[in-house]
Amino acid sequence: MSSASRDTVPADAADAADFARRAGAESSPRLFILVGPPAVGKLSVARALERLSGAIVVDNHLVNNAVFVPMGMNRGAGPALSNTDALRARVMDVVLEATRAAPPGISHVFTNWLTDAPEDAAHVDRLRDLARDRNVRFVPVWLTASRESLLARVGSPDRADRSKLVDPEVLRGVLEMPTLPAPADAITLDLSVTGPEETALRILKATR
């Protein structure tokens, strides 16, 4: 398990942009998976990676909202979350098939919150296999933040706009669930005080 150090990231914005350009040019295509609890900043980091490296973002809500929105779950209606599993699995199958068909040279960033369950471990293995099939580097990134930081962020209006979890009480329950352990080759980063741009730069630095 690796961790990117703070002193490897360029402090000046122009230097950071130049570093990101060079990191993208020097690296082969990659398939990133960003794993972390709700409100840790997975999508923000993914968007920063997209800006800095050109990778395509495949956020977990690309899959979830294809089911949640038409079912009315973003309005407090709809079935229990567990009753959406089969539909979301079908959507994920299509998303992975589309990723496999992407032209060579394209990088992707997947985001997920994964618990210590066999099906979640199998999802990581499935993405690792997908990276191998595409002949790209697999980059697992485990993101963490303090409980206080997560609870402070979860109610932000932009999360509600994207049909994400916004209830602090629900998040408290989620945080009691054990997280899937990071694989041995994962990059681990704490986002309690670190912004998405700096985090993305650290990931690119670690995967040059």
Side-chain angles (χ1 to χ4, degrees):
M1 187 181 307
S2 63
S3 178
S5 61
R6 183 176 297 272
D7 60 4
T8 61
V9 179
D12 179 79
D15 288 344
D18 180 64
F19 163 76
R21 178 188 58 76
R22 288 185 287 106
E26 295 169 4
S27 299
S28 59
R30 289 152 289 185
L31 191 156
F32 303 91
I33 176 172
L34 308 183
V35 176
V40 76
K42 296 183 295 294
L43 181 57
S44 296
V45 174
R47 293 297 187 204
L49 283 170
E50 179 182 45
R51 288 191 299 272
L52 295 170
S53 72
I56 295 173
V57 175
V58 187
D59 183 51
N60 59 306
H61 277 265
L62 176 70
V63 174
N64 292 344
N65 288 352
V67 176
F68 292 169
V69 172
M71 279 187 161
M73 294 183 71
N74 59 323
R75 300 185 181 184
L81 179 62
S82 60
N83 292 334
T84 70
D85 289 350
L87 281 174
R88 289 188 292 124
R90 287 165 58 189
V91 176
M92 178 58 77
D93 287 343
V94 173
V95 168
L96 297 185
E97 182 179 350
T99 303
R100 183 172 281 104
I106 290 181
S107 295
H108 294 84
V109 188
F110 285 76
T111 70
N112 291 98
W113 162 230
L114 302 177
T115 61
D116 192 7
E119 59 270 23
D120 285 354
H123 180 66
V124 176
D125 290 340
R126 195 176 183 190
L127 289 178
R128 192 183 291 273
D129 290 344
L130 175 58
R132 185 193 62 238
D133 292 346
R134 284 184 46 76
N135 195 30
V136 302
R137 181 176 178 181
F138 182 65
V139 183
V141 181
W142 256 239
L143 303 175
T144 64
S146 68
R147 185 183 183 90
E148 294 74 17
S149 297
L150 297 173
L151 290 170
R153 298 171 188 169
V154 72
S156 64
D158 64 315
R159 290 183 57 82
D161 292 342
R162 295 195 300 269
S163 302
K164 295 191 171 210
L165 170 64
V166 295
D167 188 332
E169 291 306 314
V170 174
L171 178 59
R172 286 188 174 92
V174 168
L175 295 178
E176 295 302 317
M177 303 171 67
T179 305
L180 184 70
D185 58 343
I187 300 167
T188 59
L189 294 166
D190 189 321
L191 273 68
S192 298
V193 296
T194 306
E197 203 85 2
E198 182 179 353
T199 300
L201 285 167
R202 292 187 189 182
I203 294 168
L204 291 175
K205 175 70 174 180
T207 58
R208 278 208 300 180

